[in-house]
Amino acid sequence: MKKSIPSNHFTVGIDDDVSKKSISYPKYFQIEPPDRVRAVFYGLGSDGTVSANKSTIKIIGEETENFAQGYFVYDSRKAGSLTISHLRFGKKPIHSPYLIEKANFVGCHQFSFLEKYNVLKFAEEEAVFLLNSPYPSTEVWDRIPRKVQETIIERKLKLYVINAQQIASDTGLGVRINTVMQTAFFLLSKILPEDIAIDKIKKFIKETYSEKGETIINKNNQAVEMAKKSLQEVLIPLKADSSIHQKAVVPSEAPSFVQKVTSKMIAQEGDDLPVSAFERDGTFPSGTTKWEKRNISQEIPEWDPQTCIQCGNCVFICPHAVIRSKLYSPELLSSSPDYFKSTDSKIKSFQGKKYTIQASPEDCTGCGLCVEICPAKNKKDPNKKAVNLVPIDPIREQEKENYAFFQSLPLADRSQLQLNKVRDLQFALPLFEFPGACAGCGETPYLKLLSQLFGDHMIIANATGCSSIYGGNLPATPWTSNQEGHGPAWSNSLFEDNAEFGFGMRLAIDQQNKYAILLLKELKSDIGEDLVEELLQAMHSEDKEVYQQRERVKKLQKRLQNIDKEEARQLESVAESIVKKSVWIIGGDGWAYDIGYGGLDHVIAQPDNVNILVLDTEIYSNTGGQMSKATPLGAVAKFASGGKPMAKKDLALMAL
């Protein structure tokens, strides 16, 4: 007996070598009409791509007879990560699944994506390809990787370029290229006649930015007019001839797990990973952001050794630990690259050493804080400082080589550093590096600082929020370890109980420590009285003392292996607790002032030794800008336009 097919389904016949099958699909998985615009856009979080596409949907959906559909794919990192927008427009109602698999329009809003992602994966034959390019139509072909060239030729794509970054810069819009790319899309997609499309865009600009004043409206309108004049079609050769090849997702020296698993996630292929690719216990390695190499900045800092006063401010302020400095022996320069810069140390305690400031070009976000904070002025050119932003393309390869050599130079001896001074602190290794936070983040410099001061014996309870997004989010984590394998232990908890979570860590560590001390005393004669007394009497106030205690514990562990007692096995399991652990409870003001305050209040009242860091942005940053109890009286937030009606809660006073 044949099964009847529901009226809201249709059938598709499939031929293969074994049998003929008939599969029933819901009708909403319809074949796309040929006149429907199916557009996929690749953007960078914070460049305005998603905003532009949302406004495009509003313009077409509200101002025309067309139907519109949009779906946006992006991770929880708000800025600096890939965004993919799937948009459909057409005369008929749209009942297709959200993700587009065959696009007749592809927009790539960041030129560097060509080397990292398969942006033409969904482009069908004769589709339009819009590329934001720093190169004009006459030069761009030679700058496109060969594999992308081959796809363009094979699928007979129509390629158009526009220098959106330059237009945004010239009109005072900064990195926001959304208006430029939106205009280019309307001109190429021909959903509306050109004049009508421009009028609609300008109308929407006025509605969107009316509260920000005429200046912002005029800048956006100017960008629209410049976009009209700047869009160029590229003449496609018959043969792919580029010497540029798409780069490996992660460097070849990356660990096996990063090569097999992390790289797939970075390449947006994480859904294809089998369960067998992961570790059986579900663990992920730390310190993996250094393999991401996001290459998201158009400009990077360049160091001028002659102007530099070696204050370390640029290293201190960098939110992403991109800029580092080192002191080293002059003879180590014998194998340095040709373009590697150095100068004599001006720091009295390190006379005779060489000094270098070096940035990691592929990890920089181009925020410019290093330039902003630099106090040194170039005497010949007052507009320049000891650190200046320059275009990355001409110097990227040489700076990669310079950074690799810089990494091979030895680290400063921490025992010789005065870590209460910025000038010395710049040489301390950060154990929090290259986080996926927004460019110029105001929170991450503090976390980097903590990792430099306490990182090798630090345990962190982290409240959900921005610090969990850039701190422990897949595919990569910035918390890392030093050359001895020591680094922060980090764990995330919920908004409402993070203070209790960290407090529990403290209690557990203290209990393990007490048990270890009890066992030490019981096994004193077996271990050796001198070593036990040293372990029990050790101080932990300075770095070198923590290091010395760690060495004693190693000696203890060796001796325990030769003691055939159950107590020795138990002491082995808790021996690490004899070394001091610095417990930190960290989170934003949403946790500390609002949702988790009840628990924080109780933890503050306890006598146990915990440290608390509140990353107080005075609004709910991670969810878009709602006011919190940390928002000052009268302050206006994005989702609190009426102003805060109550004074800011005084958390420090309550702690007192």
Side-chain angles (χ1 to χ4, degrees):
M1 191 174 169
K2 291 184 178 180
K3 286 185 179 179
S4 61
I5 298 171
S7 60
N8 65 336
H9 282 57
F10 67 92
T11 59
V12 177
I14 299 177
D15 290 315
D16 58 29
D17 295 334
V18 182
S19 63
K20 289 190 175 182
K21 302 175 183 178
S22 181
I23 299 178
S24 173
Y25 288 103
K27 267 189 180 174
Y28 52 77
F29 289 112
Q30 59 186 227
I31 296 169
E32 305 269 14
D35 62 339
R36 179 178 290 169
V37 175
R38 287 161 276 117
V40 176
F41 301 86
Y42 293 84
L44 188 72
S46 80
D47 70 359
T49 297
V50 171
S51 298
N53 289 325
K54 286 180 177 178
S55 69
T56 296
I57 290 169
K58 286 184 179 180
I59 290 170
I60 294 172
E62 295 175 5
E63 301 286 336
T64 75
E65 295 180 354
N66 287 282
F67 291 88
Q69 181 198 65
Y71 187 77
F72 304 92
V73 181
Y74 46 86
D75 67 25
S76 48
R77 292 185 294 184
K78 300 295 187 298
S81 59
L82 178 69
T83 67
I84 308 175
S85 307
H86 297 254
L87 273 63
R88 286 183 176 88
F89 306 106
K91 301 289 184 186
K92 297 178 181 178
I94 300 170
H95 301 293
S96 300
Y98 292 125
L99 298 179
I100 293 170
E101 293 186 353
K102 290 200 171 185
N104 49 28
F105 187 100
V106 176
C108 180
H109 292 194
Q110 298 291 330
F111 194 82
S112 64
F113 286 176
L114 298 181
E115 292 181 357
K116 297 167 63 179
Y117 306 115
N118 184 7
V119 297
L120 296 178
K121 178 180 179 180
F122 304 120
E124 66 180 15
E125 204 164 281
E126 297 186 350
V128 172
F129 181 29
L130 170 63
L131 178 61
N132 172 23
S133 165
Y135 312 106
S137 58
T138 52
E139 298 177 22
V140 70
W141 184 255
D142 295 331
R143 306 280 186 166
I144 294 175
R146 183 183 287 253
K147 189 176 179 182
V148 181
Q149 285 185 344
E150 290 169 351
T151 304
I152 291 171
I153 294 169
E154 179 189 329
R155 300 188 193 174
K156 302 172 186 171
L157 304 184
K158 296 167 188 155
L159 175 60
Y160 295 85
V161 294
I162 188 167
N163 192 341
Q165 250 93 15
Q166 189 62 54
I167 295 172
S169 176
D170 291 345
T171 54
L173 294 176
V175 298
R176 303 287 290 183
I177 61 173
N178 48 328
T179 299
V180 180
M181 299 307 291
Q182 181 185 39
T183 303
F185 166 70
F186 271 103
L187 295 175
L188 294 174
S189 64
K190 304 190 186 304
I191 296 173
L192 295 170
E194 181 177 318
D195 292 344
I196 296 175
I198 298 300
D199 286 343
K200 300 288 186 189
I201 292 171
K202 289 184 176 179
K203 178 186 175 185
F204 196 83
I205 287 170
K206 189 171 184 179
E207 291 174 357
T208 304
Y209 301 113
S210 59
E211 291 184 0
K212 296 190 176 181
E214 285 296 320
T215 303
I216 299 296
I217 294 172
N218 292 337
K219 285 179 179 180
N220 280 275
N221 286 340
Q222 188 183 354
V224 170
E225 294 302 322
M226 290 180 71
K228 281 171 58 181
K229 299 172 186 174
S230 304
L231 192 61
Q232 300 174 328
E233 184 172 6
V234 179
L235 188 64
I236 308 298
L238 298 174
K239 186 179 178 184
D241 56 1
S242 178
S243 59
I244 300 170
H245 297 279
Q246 285 185 308
K247 297 183 178 179
V249 179
V250 295
S252 58
E253 62 269 23
S256 175
F257 186 90
V258 174
Q259 295 279 5
K260 293 177 182 177
V261 179
T262 310
S263 67
K264 293 287 186 184
M265 295 180 179
I266 294 171
Q268 304 298 306
E269 297 171 0
D271 290 344
D272 300 334
L273 285 167
V275 174
S276 58
F278 298 90
E279 297 293 337
R280 290 185 178 185
D281 62 359
T283 57
F284 279 72
S286 59
T288 45
T289 47
K290 66 183 175 186
W291 307 114
E292 256 189 307
K293 304 302 176 194
R294 295 189 295 161
N295 277 304
I296 64 174
S297 180
Q298 302 290 322
E299 296 180 313
I300 59 170
E302 184 179 56
W303 178 52
D304 177 4
Q306 279 68 47
T307 306
C308 183
I309 61 173
Q310 303 179 12
C311 63
N313 285 358
C314 57
V315 180
F316 182 73
I317 198 68
C318 180
H320 308 278
V322 166
I323 300 181
R324 312 275 177 98
S325 59
K326 279 186 179 180
L327 293 162
Y328 50 91
S329 300
E331 58 267 20
L332 295 175
L333 288 171
S334 59
S335 58
S336 66
D338 294 339
Y339 296 98
F340 190 77
K341 296 177 182 177
S342 67
T343 188
D344 294 331
S345 171
K346 297 177 182 177
I347 303 171
K348 286 183 180 180
S349 53
F350 296 104
Q351 292 295 316
K353 298 281 188 180
K354 285 290 185 180
Y355 176 89
T356 292
I357 286 179
Q358 179 65 48
S360 175
E362 296 182 299
D363 297 299
C364 182
T365 65
C367 70
L369 284 180
C370 51
V371 180
E372 190 75 26
I373 201 170
C374 178
K377 293 282 181 71
N378 187 314
K379 292 179 181 178
K380 294 180 181 178
D381 185 353
N383 294 320
K384 290 189 175 179
K385 296 184 173 185
V387 179
N388 304 284
L389 290 180
V390 297
I392 187 173
D393 279 349
I395 61 171
R396 186 198 306 184
E397 294 306 316
Q398 75 180 42
E399 289 306 302
K400 281 171 59 179
E401 189 180 353
N402 286 340
Y403 185 71
F405 174 75
F406 177 85
Q407 288 292 82
S408 71
L409 295 171
L411 293 166
D413 182 351
R414 282 179 69 97
S415 65
Q416 296 180 24
L417 300 177
Q418 297 181 58
L419 295 177
N420 60 342
K421 295 181 179 179
V422 171
R423 175 163 270 195
D424 281 20
L425 187 66
Q426 64 178 307
F427 306 115
L429 180 69
L431 299 181
F432 177 86
E433 60 181 6
F434 318 133
C438 302
C441 177
E443 298 181 1
T444 52
Y446 295 96
L447 296 177
K448 183 186 72 172
L449 174 61
L450 283 186
S451 79
Q452 288 173 298
L453 294 172
F454 312 105
D456 72 336
H457 59 288
M458 185 180 185
I459 294 179
I460 301 167
N462 189 94
T464 296
C466 280
S467 56
S468 61
I469 300 306
Y470 57 65
N473 202 10
L474 291 179
T477 175
W479 296 102
T480 187
S481 56
N482 60 21
Q483 292 169 319
E484 288 79 40
H486 299 292
W490 184 96
S491 189
N492 190 71
S493 187
L494 303 174
F495 258 147
E496 65 267 24
D497 68 359
N498 188 55
E500 300 93 316
F501 184 55
F503 185 60
M505 291 178 176
R506 178 78 271 168
L507 295 181
I509 292 164
D510 289 349
Q511 189 62 36
Q512 289 173 354
N513 179 263
K514 289 175 185 176
Y515 186 49
I517 290 171
L518 180 68
L519 292 170
L520 271 176
K521 292 176 179 177
E522 285 185 16
L523 295 167
K524 183 185 285 189
S525 58
D526 298 289
I527 296 168
E529 290 192 14
D530 290 346
L531 178 57
V532 171
E533 284 304 313
E534 287 176 9
L535 286 163
L536 294 176
Q537 300 300 324
M539 302 292 290
H540 290 88
S541 57
E542 294 184 16
D543 263 13
K544 61 183 179 183
E545 292 169 345
V546 173
Y547 174 79
Q548 289 165 355
Q549 184 75 333
R550 194 173 276 139
E551 292 301 305
R552 293 186 196 101
V553 168
K554 287 180 183 176
K555 194 184 294 184
L556 168 67
Q557 289 169 329
K558 285 182 181 178
R559 293 189 185 181
L560 288 172
Q561 290 173 4
N562 300 319
I563 302 173
D564 188 19
K565 289 184 178 179
E566 177 58 28
E567 290 83 355
R569 305 289 76 77
Q570 292 177 21
L571 181 53
E572 278 182 314
S573 70
V574 293
E576 281 292 331
S577 68
I578 301 171
V579 181
K580 178 186 177 181
K581 302 293 187 294
S582 184
V583 176
W584 285 82
I585 300 171
I586 297 174
D589 51 276
W591 154 68
Y593 286 79
D594 278 348
I595 302 166
Y597 172 72
L600 180 64
D601 176 41
H602 283 277
V603 170
I604 288 173
Q606 305 307 312
D608 301 83
N609 183 15
V610 294
N611 305 282
I612 300 165
L613 175 65
V614 180
L615 302 165
D616 184 5
T617 59
E618 300 192 321
I619 54 167
Y620 288 124
S621 300
N622 192 49
T623 50
Q626 301 89 341
M627 67 173 137
S628 75
K629 290 193 177 78
T631 307
L633 176 67
V636 172
K638 187 172 182 180
F639 294 104
S641 57
K644 177 76 181 300
M646 296 170 62
K648 176 174 179 171
K649 183 190 285 185
D650 195 335
L651 197 63
L653 180 62
M654 293 176 185
L656 291 173

